[in-house]
C-alpha cells in the first residue's frame, strides 16, 4: 500500500491509484485542467519514489531531472514524497502589457516575461493568474518578439476567462514551461502545409505559418480559418501577410460553412502535411474529410483545445 507524503501530510493509497485523484480526495489543492497529459497544469515534484514513464511524457529534460511529473498521468507504484507546484516560486513571473477584446469573445493578451524564454511558435504554456488558477494557452507570437501573445476564447462562466477580465495592465501573472509538439519543423521546407483552424485554434497555426514564412518555407501554405462572429479576428493582419507572401493562401470562412467546406476539401499534393487546431469537436470532425481526401494519418498533426470539463 503506497504511502504518499506531502510536507507533514501522509496519505494512504492503493497501487495503481491515480495520483491526482488521490491528492484531491485527501484535500490537497492541486490544480488541473485537461486530465489528458497535455497541459502541464497538474505538475507535482517527486522528491523520491518511483515515477512511471507515462507521468513524464512530454516534459522537458530539465523538468524531468528536477523530478516534475504530471499527477493526472501518474499511477501510484510505491511510497513517494511530493512537493506541490507553486507558480509564484516554480514558474516565471510576467506582467500584463495589454488586453483587447476582439471578434466574437476573443481576448488578445500580451505579456512581458521577466526574462526571455525559449519556445517554438505554436507551443503552449500554462498562464497562472494566481497559485491555483492556471490554464494552457498556445503561444501566438514569434520567438524573436520580446512580448508573448495569446488569443484567449472567453467562455461564459469560465474561471480564467472571468478573472482575467478583471485585471489591468501591469498585473503580475506566472508562466509555466513552454511545451507540446505543435510547431514548425525545418524538415518541412518542401512540403505543402494545410493549416486548419477553428476559433482561437488560429493562435498556434498563424504563428506556425509566420515561422514557416520567416524560415524560407518553399512550398505552398494554405491557412483555413473558420471563425465565430462576423469576421476572422485577425482578418486584416492575415490579409497583409498573404499580400506579402505569394505562397500563403487564405480561406477565412464563417463557422457555419465548415461542413459544406469540408466536402470540397482537396489536397495540393500527396506530400501535404495537415495541422489541425481548435475545439475538440472540430479536431474530431476534420479527421474523416482529410482521410477521404487521401491524407494518411501520419501526415496529420493535431491539437485539441481540451477544457477543464471536457
Ligand atoms: C494544449 C492546449 C492549448 C490551448 N490553447 C488555447 C488557446 O490558445 N486559446 C484558447 O482560447 N484556448 C486554448 N486552450 C483551451 C483552454 O485552456 C480552455 O478552454 C480553458 O478551459 C478555458 O478556461 P476557462 O477558465 O476560461 O474556462 P473553464 O472554467 O475551464 O471552463 C468553463 C466552461 O467553458 C466551456 N469551455 C471551456 N473551454 C472550452 C473549450 N476549449 N471548448 C469548448 N468549451 C469550453 C465548458 O463548457 C466549460 O464547462 C488550450 C487547451 C490546451 C489543452
Ligand atoms: S496534464 Fe494533467 S491536467 Fe493537463
Amino acid at each position: 500500500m503506497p504511502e504518499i507524503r506531502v510536507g507533514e501530510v501522509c496519505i494512504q493509497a492503493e497501487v495503481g491509484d491515480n495520483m491526482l485523484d488521490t491528492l484531491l480526495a485527501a484535500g490537497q489543492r492541486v490544480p488541473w485542467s485537461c486530465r489528458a497529459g497535455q497541459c502541464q497544469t497538474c505538475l507535482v515534484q517527486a522528491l523520491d519514489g518511483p515515477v512511471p514513464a507515462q507521468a513524464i511524457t512530454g516534459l522537458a529534460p530539465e523538468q524531468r531531472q528536477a523530478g516534475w511529473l504530471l499527477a493526472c498521468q501518474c499511477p501510484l507504484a510505491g511510497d513517494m514524497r511530493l512537493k506541490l507546484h507553486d507558480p509564484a516560486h516554480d514558474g516565471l513571473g510576467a506582467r500584463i502589457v495589454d488586453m483587447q477584446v476582439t471578434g466574437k469573445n476573443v481576448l488578445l493578451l500580451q505579456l512581458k516575461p521577466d526574462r526571455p524564454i525559449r519556445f517554438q511558435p505554436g507551443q503552449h504554456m500554462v498562464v497562472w493568474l494566481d497559485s491555483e488558477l492556471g490554464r494552457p494557452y498556445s503561444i501566438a507570437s514569434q520567438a524573436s518578439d520580446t512580448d508573448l501573445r495569446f488569443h484567449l476564447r472567453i467562455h461564459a462562466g469560465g474561471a480564467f476567462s472571468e478573472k482575467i477580465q478583471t485585471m489591468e495592465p501591469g498585473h503580475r501573472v506566472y508562466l509555466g514551461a513552454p511545451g507540446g509538439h505543435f510547431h514548425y519543423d525545418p524538415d518541412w521546407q518542401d512540403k505543402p502545409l494545410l493549416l486548419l483552424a477553428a476559433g482561437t485554434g488560429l493562435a498556434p497555426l498563424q504563428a506556425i505559418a509566420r515561422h514557416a514564412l520567416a524560415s524560407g518555407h518553399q512550398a505552398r501554405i494554405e491557412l483555413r480559418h473558420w471563425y465565430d462572429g462576423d469576421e476572422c479576428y485577425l482578418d486584416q493582419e492575415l490579409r497583409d501577410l498573404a499580400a506579402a507572401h505569394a505562397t500563403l493562401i487564405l480561406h477565412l470562412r464563417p463557422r457555419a460553412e465548415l461542413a459544406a467546406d469540408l466536402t470540397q476539401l482537396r489536397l495540393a499534393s500527396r506530400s501535404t502535411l495537415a495541422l489541425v487546431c481548435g475545439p475538440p469537436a472540430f479536431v474530431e470532425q476534420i479527421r474523416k474529410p482529410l482521410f477521404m481526401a487521401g491524407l494518411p494519418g501520419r501526415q496529420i498533426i493535431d491539437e485539441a483545445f481540451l477544457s477543464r470539463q471536457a
Side-chain angles (χ1 to χ4, degrees):
M1 188 184 248
E3 201 175 79
I4 309 301
R5 286 191 171 271
V6 184
E8 298 302 307
V9 178
C10 184
I11 304 163
Q12 304 294 330
E14 301 289 337
V15 171
D17 280 357
N18 177 274
M19 182 190 283
L20 179 62
D21 291 337
T22 304
L23 291 171
L24 292 174
Q28 296 293 318
R29 301 175 78 93
V30 186
W32 54 273
S33 188
C34 73
R35 280 188 181 258
Q38 216 188 335
C39 74
Q40 301 197 12
T41 309
C42 65
L43 281 176
V44 166
Q45 195 173 25
L47 303 177
D48 59 29
V51 176
Q54 69 257 48
I56 54 172
T57 302
L59 297 187
E62 316 82 69
Q63 289 175 301
R64 295 172 180 215
Q65 227 162 17
W68 293 108
L69 58 83
L70 301 172
C72 75
Q73 299 300 299
C74 187
L76 296 173
D79 295 351
M80 294 182 94
R81 272 191 319 127
L82 302 176
K83 184 178 141 319
L84 300 188
H85 181 258
D86 173 6
H89 178 265
D90 303 312
L92 173 66
R95 66 184 169 76
I96 297 176
V97 175
D98 194 27
M99 292 192 292
Q100 305 279 344
V101 176
T102 179
K104 189 165 183 252
N105 295 333
V106 178
L107 183 110
L108 302 178
L109 175 66
Q110 184 179 346
L111 300 178
K112 185 171 288 299
D114 289 352
R115 58 176 165 75
I117 49 170
R118 285 166 66 93
F119 67 89
Q120 301 272 7
Q123 285 191 304
H124 56 82
M125 55 170 46
V126 180
V127 179
W128 295 93
L129 299 184
D130 57 38
S131 59
E132 292 180 13
L133 182 53
R135 295 283 188 269
Y137 289 104
S138 306
I139 309 171
S141 43
Q142 297 297 296
S144 53
D145 299 341
T146 50
D147 291 352
L148 295 167
R149 290 171 194 271
F150 303 88
H151 305 167
L152 281 57
R153 164 82 201 275
I154 301 171
H155 295 284
F160 192 103
S161 299
E162 306 250 298
K163 182 150 187 182
I164 193 152
Q165 290 182 88
T166 66
M167 295 178 166
E168 301 281 342
H171 195 99
R172 275 190 82 66
V173 298
Y174 300 95
L175 304 172
H181 64 295
F182 221 54
H183 56 80
Y184 182 69
D185 182 335
D187 287 348
W188 296 347
Q189 282 270 340
D190 301 323
K191 296 183 195 305
L193 298 182
L194 177 59
L195 310 178
L196 305 172
T200 48
L202 183 60
L205 289 183
Q206 59 78 40
I208 288 170
R210 286 176 202 276
H211 188 191
L213 292 168
S215 309
H217 187 84
Q218 298 295 311
R220 157 195 170 103
I221 302 174
E222 189 176 330
L223 174 57
R224 290 180 175 251
H225 181 227
W226 287 277
Y227 53 81
D228 304 303
D230 296 336
E231 66 170 14
C232 166
Y233 62 88
L234 289 188
D235 189 279
Q236 196 52 53
E237 267 185 68
L238 290 177
R239 291 189 193 284
D240 291 346
L241 190 68
H245 297 275
T247 50
L248 178 63
I249 317 296
L250 289 181
H251 299 273
L252 308 179
R253 303 274 290 158
R255 187 79 157 262
E257 302 296 335
L258 172 61
D261 290 349
L262 290 182
T263 63
Q264 313 285 322
L265 202 60
R266 302 284 178 272
L267 300 179
S269 140
R270 289 241 166 238
S271 64
T272 296
L273 273 179
L275 279 77
V276 184
C277 189
F282 167 76
V283 172
E284 195 53 44
Q285 190 179 359
I286 291 282
R287 283 204 186 108
K288 193 171 172 196
L290 284 176
F291 178 74
M292 299 301 283
L295 204 63
R298 64 178 180 282
Q299 287 169 230
I300 305 172
I301 303 168
D302 58 32
E303 182 146 276
F305 281 176
L306 298 176
S307 70
R308 189 172 150 95
Q309 278 82 1

